Amino acid sequence: MLRRGPAEREIRMSVDEAAVTISGGAVTLRTRREEVVKRIRHALLTGELKPGQRIKEARLAESLGVSRPTLRESLQQLVHEGSLVQIPHKGVHVAAPTPEELLDVAEVRVSLETMAALRLAKDPQGEAMDEVRAALDRHLAAIDSGDEVQTDVTHFELHRTIWEMSGSVTLRKIWPLVGSQVQRALSVDQATMRNPERDAELHRRLIRVIEEGDEETIVAEVRAHIQASVAEVVRRLA
C-alpha cells in the first residue's frame, strides 16, 4: 500500500448507515462547504459511500467538524449535481444510477472527451500533453501498487486532466457538473468489474492514440474506451 501524506488521509465510511462518519478531523479551510463537498466526492469515488446508502447528517457533520447547516448546503450542492438524491421523508441518499443514466452519461462523455482529445492531439509534445502523460503515469503507478483507493482517484484525475488540459474554456467550466456524473460512472465501473490489467492497457492505448494524432482513430478510440466499458457494466447489472 502507498503511504499517504496529510493531504491524502483516507476517508472511511461505515457500511452501517447508523455509524456513518468520515475520518480525517475537522474541516479547517476558509470555504468549509467546498472542503466538505470535496471530501464527500472522494468517498463517493472510492466507493466508501455506497449507491443507495443513506447520509446520516448528525454523525457526518460531527465527524467533519462542521455545522449541520454547512453540511446541508454541501449535500444540496451534490444533490444538484446528481451525486446524491433527496428522497421525500427518507432523507439524502447516495445516487444509484440506472443503466439508462449510465448510457446517457457515456454518450455525453464521448462527445466532450473526443473534443478534448482532438485539441490535445494538435500539440502532442506540448506542456498540456506532458500533464496528461504525468497523470497517466500516476494512474499506472497506483495500479501497480495494488492500492485500489489511489487507483480509483488517479483514474478520475486522468480523465479530468484530459478535459482541463485541452485548452477549452467551455470544457473547464462544465467539468464540475459533468465530472460528478463521470465520477458515478467510474465508481460503478470499478465496483462491477475491477480489472487492473485491462484498466492499464485501455489507458495506455488511449493516450498513445492521442499522441499519434490521427483524427479518425482518436474519435473511434474515445468512443470505444467509454462505451465498451459502460456496455459491459450495463450487461452485468441487467
Side-chain angles (χ1 to χ4, degrees):
M1 297 288 286
L2 291 176
R3 185 179 295 276
R4 300 180 181 82
E8 299 178 276
R9 288 174 293 188
E10 278 192 315
I11 295 176
R12 297 195 178 280
M13 180 59 56
S14 169
V15 175
D16 179 3
E17 68 174 33
V20 172
T21 62
I22 291 183
S23 64
V27 174
T28 57
L29 296 185
R30 179 178 299 176
T31 308
R32 292 194 165 198
R33 185 179 70 178
E34 291 178 4
E35 178 64 9
V36 170
V37 168
K38 178 181 177 182
R39 299 266 290 269
I40 295 174
R41 280 180 181 149
H42 188 280
L44 292 166
L45 177 62
T46 59
E48 293 170 286
L49 277 173
K50 311 293 185 184
Q53 184 174 2
R54 184 180 179 184
I55 303 296
K56 286 287 193 175
E57 289 187 10
R59 193 174 290 269
L60 185 52
E62 180 181 359
S63 73
L64 292 170
V66 297
S67 67
R68 293 279 290 276
T70 296
L71 177 64
R72 288 194 189 105
E73 288 179 3
S74 304
L75 295 178
Q76 286 307 308
Q77 179 176 333
L78 291 164
V79 167
H80 177 71
E81 293 176 2
S83 298
L84 304 177
V85 291
Q86 180 86 48
I87 301 177
H89 312 298
K90 294 185 178 180
V92 177
H93 291 67
V94 178
T98 65
E100 291 76 16
E101 288 174 324
L102 291 172
L103 290 169
D104 190 44
V105 171
E107 193 61 37
V108 172
R109 281 187 64 198
V110 166
S111 297
L112 298 179
E113 210 152 312
T114 296
M115 175 182 170
L118 290 173
R119 282 172 166 262
L120 285 166
K122 293 178 181 178
D123 188 10
Q125 301 306 318
E127 292 183 3
M129 274 304 299
D130 286 344
E131 291 290 336
V132 172
R133 282 186 283 266
L136 173 64
D137 289 344
R138 288 191 292 272
H139 183 46
L140 296 177
I143 292 173
D144 288 343
S145 75
D147 186 332
E148 293 184 355
V149 172
Q150 279 302 103
T151 295
D152 291 345
V153 170
T154 55
H155 184 187
F156 178 74
E157 287 301 311
L158 172 57
H159 285 279
R160 182 187 62 79
T161 301
I162 290 172
W163 284 54
E164 293 200 346
M165 290 296 106
S166 69
S168 168
V169 175
T170 300
L171 287 179
R172 285 186 177 181
K173 285 182 177 179
I174 64 176
W175 171 258
L177 179 58
V178 178
S180 67
Q181 306 306 312
V182 173
Q183 183 180 60
R184 292 169 64 200
L186 295 181
S187 296
V188 173
D189 179 278
Q190 292 303 308
T192 306
M193 52 177 193
R194 186 177 293 277
N195 185 327
E197 291 78 16
R198 158 188 167 270
D199 187 355
E201 176 54 31
L202 285 175
H203 289 91
R204 285 194 187 97
R205 188 169 69 215
L206 175 63
I207 303 310
R208 183 172 65 248
V209 165
I210 295 174
E211 290 173 328
E212 292 170 352
D214 180 76
E215 181 174 336
E216 186 174 335
T217 305
I218 290 171
V219 172
E221 183 61 31
V222 172
R223 178 169 290 277
H225 182 91
I226 294 171
Q227 290 196 325
S229 293
V230 171
E232 179 61 17
V233 169
V234 169
R235 185 187 70 80
R236 295 191 183 202
L237 290 175

